[in-house]
Amino acid sequence: MSSTNGYAALEAGKALEPFRFERRAIGPNDVHITISHCGICHSDIHQARDEWGGSIFPMVPGHEIVGTVLAIGTDVKSFHPGETVGVGCLVDSCQTCHSCQRGLEQYCQDGLVFTYNSRDKAGEPTYGGYSTHIVVDQRFVFHIPTSLTAAGAAPLLCAGITTYSPLKHWNVGHGHKLGVLGLGGLGHMAVQLGNALGAEVTVLSRSSSKQPDAARLGAKDFALVNGQASNASLAGRFDFIIDTVSAPHDYTSCLEMLKTDGTLILVGAPEQPTPLGAFPLVMRRRRMVGSLIGGIPETQEMLDFCAENRIESEVEIIPIQGVNEAYERIMRGDVRFRFVIDMSSLGRE
Ligand code: NAP
Ligand code: ZN
């Protein structure tokens, strides 16, 4: 066991504060990591405020983790001390179900363990990356390509893979018009990845101030959407829309922006359900699908793709002491485009 410093929400909605806890002793398959950076995902806020229900407290959030290997277990061959590595949203799965065997660990039917707000196989709560160190089974650790910066790579472990996976699954690319709804952490990755895959990207945002950023990130077009009714000029425009919005909103207006056979991909996870009639789907044989992060092999593929295509997250680096203010700024939409915590700001003693 090793004593670790972190920041935790002690109860739902309470400000995060310093929290000391134990990490398990490293086993033969474990990698012990000194965390240098951790991104702040909107899912951290949903869970720390128990907006989805079932949260476990105290909660140390954080699933966009980059750090350096401190030590390895006796059976670890592919990582070495000093190497820069990453950990995303998952730290264990059953390894035997149909999903795990296809490299889709995120859909594991019997034994999925999330990096935090979850319970490991021994029934102990998992604690995430707002901390100085983490011990993770080697199967859930990634190699960070050397051309990526640690801070710019951290958000790839969730925002990057969550947008890459459905774009690849639905073969989004050349000849497709892709709408990206919401230009936040996930959205700014979707724009860069969609563009690199060859799609023509339009940002659909409620914030006109983000137009120059959208163009700089690679979007060909920008449209203001108010969430109630779609702009008539956008009707039937897109082959795909990836919806990254974190708050409840009207799906009908999103569907109406799709062509015949168009696909609305939901990755945003608002806490409240939204009513939806049949007609926007029925009339043009449109599809509405969902997607959860991505599997382990695909996450390494995404990191390598980002390195090859010079894609990183645009980040604002903060000390851990600024995490509560960062949460408030995210809720106000005041972030370009991901807060990343510099974990050296948290005492390592
Ligand atoms: P974020 O950085 O806060 O971005 C969300 C964006 O949605 C905002 O920048 C804003 O974009 C738009 N938005 C926010 N509130 C809105 C409202 N009331 N009405 C309309 N638009 C609004 O959040 P994120 O980290 O990208 O996460 C987005 C969502 O994805 C969250 O719900 C998160 O839990 C979920 N998520 C899902 C997965 C998965 O595996 N499916 C993984 C990670 C995160 P504009 O200002 O441009 O409109
Ligand atoms: Zn996330």
Side-chain angles (χ1 to χ4, degrees):
M1 304 277 267
S2 54
S3 188
T4 305
N5 286 336
Y7 253 57
L10 300 183
E11 293 171 27
K14 269 197 87 176
L16 275 66
E17 59 183 86
F19 177 68
R20 206 168 167 90
F21 61 100
E22 298 287 325
R23 292 288 188 196
R24 67 170 183 256
I26 61 168
N29 284 300
D30 283 337
V31 181
H32 194 183
I33 301 164
T34 304
I35 299 173
S36 67
H37 296 87
C38 185
I40 300 180
C41 177
H42 205 116
S43 302
D44 300 348
I45 303 177
H46 287 307
Q47 291 176 92
R49 297 182 176 180
D50 199 14
E51 292 174 352
W52 293 337
S55 283
I56 302 168
F57 295 96
M59 182 191 299
V60 178
H63 57 205
E64 295 185 336
I65 300 167
V66 169
T68 306
V69 177
L70 180 63
I72 52 173
T74 48
D75 292 346
V76 175
K77 302 289 176 244
S78 65
F79 296 98
H80 55 82
E83 180 182 354
T84 303
V85 294
V87 177
C89 304
L90 307 177
V91 289
D92 207 354
S93 72
C94 81
Q95 303 289 313
T96 54
C97 73
H98 185 58
S99 298
C100 283
Q101 289 193 342
R102 292 159 66 211
L104 298 172
E105 294 84 353
Q106 75 275 33
Y107 302 123
C108 173
Q109 285 139 265
D110 185 26
L112 188 58
V113 181
F114 291 100
T115 304
Y116 71 89
N117 193 25
S118 189
R119 291 197 184 274
D120 65 18
K121 284 189 178 132
E124 295 299 323
T126 56
Y127 294 123
Y130 297 6
S131 59
T132 54
H133 297 88
I134 192 166
V135 177
V136 180
D137 186 299
Q138 60 176 333
R139 293 168 305 178
F140 294 85
V141 180
F142 304 101
H143 299 278
I144 301 294
T146 51
S147 62
L148 298 176
T149 66
L156 302 180
L157 277 314
C158 176
I161 185 60
T162 299
T163 48
Y164 181 84
S165 183
L167 294 176
K168 290 290 283 191
H169 179 75
W170 294 99
N171 290 315
V172 178
H174 293 281
H176 290 142
K177 290 189 190 303
L178 168 66
V180 173
L181 185 67
L183 193 62
L186 267 56
H188 94 294
M189 292 312 309
V191 173
Q192 296 185 78
L193 292 166
N195 191 41
L197 290 167
E200 187 185 303
V201 179
T202 298
V203 167
L204 306 164
S205 168
R206 62 185 175 157
S207 315
S208 57
S209 63
K210 294 182 182 174
Q211 184 161 6
D213 295 307
R216 188 173 42 74
L217 290 163
K220 289 275 178 303
D221 207 352
F222 179 94
L224 262 187
V225 288
N226 66 13
Q228 295 303 318
S230 63
N231 183 325
S233 68
L234 296 172
R237 165 101 68 106
F238 301 106
D239 299 285
F240 295 91
I241 293 175
I242 184 161
D243 179 342
T244 75
V245 172
S246 51
H249 57 288
D250 173 33
Y251 294 129
T252 301
S253 62
C254 303
L255 287 163
E256 284 170 350
M257 291 188 260
L258 293 169
K259 297 177 182 174
T260 298
D261 286 327
T263 305
L264 175 63
I265 303 167
L266 297 186
V267 288
E271 65 278 17
Q272 298 291 341
T274 306
L276 175 66
F279 280 90
L281 289 162
V282 166
M283 291 303 285
R284 290 214 186 182
R285 201 166 58 185
R286 295 170 174 125
R287 287 180 294 220
M288 188 171 178
V289 302
S291 190
L292 178 70
I293 43 177
I296 298 304
E298 195 173 45
T299 301
Q300 187 64 59
E301 175 190 309
M302 175 277 308
L303 288 164
D304 298 340
F305 179 88
C306 287
E308 276 160 35
N309 290 278
R310 299 174 183 279
I311 292 173
E312 287 195 5
S313 174
E314 290 201 0
V315 302
E316 179 175 339
I317 299 176
I318 60 161
I320 189 79
Q321 294 77 11
V323 68
N324 293 305
E325 188 194 340
Y327 276 23
E328 294 307 324
R329 284 183 54 194
I330 290 169
M331 295 310 295
R332 293 198 300 269
D334 176 22
V335 51
R336 286 196 165 82
F337 281 94
R338 202 55 142 185
F339 288 113
V340 171
I341 303 164
D342 173 357
M343 216 50 75
S344 67
S345 59
L346 186 55
R348 294 190 193 281
E349 71 284 352

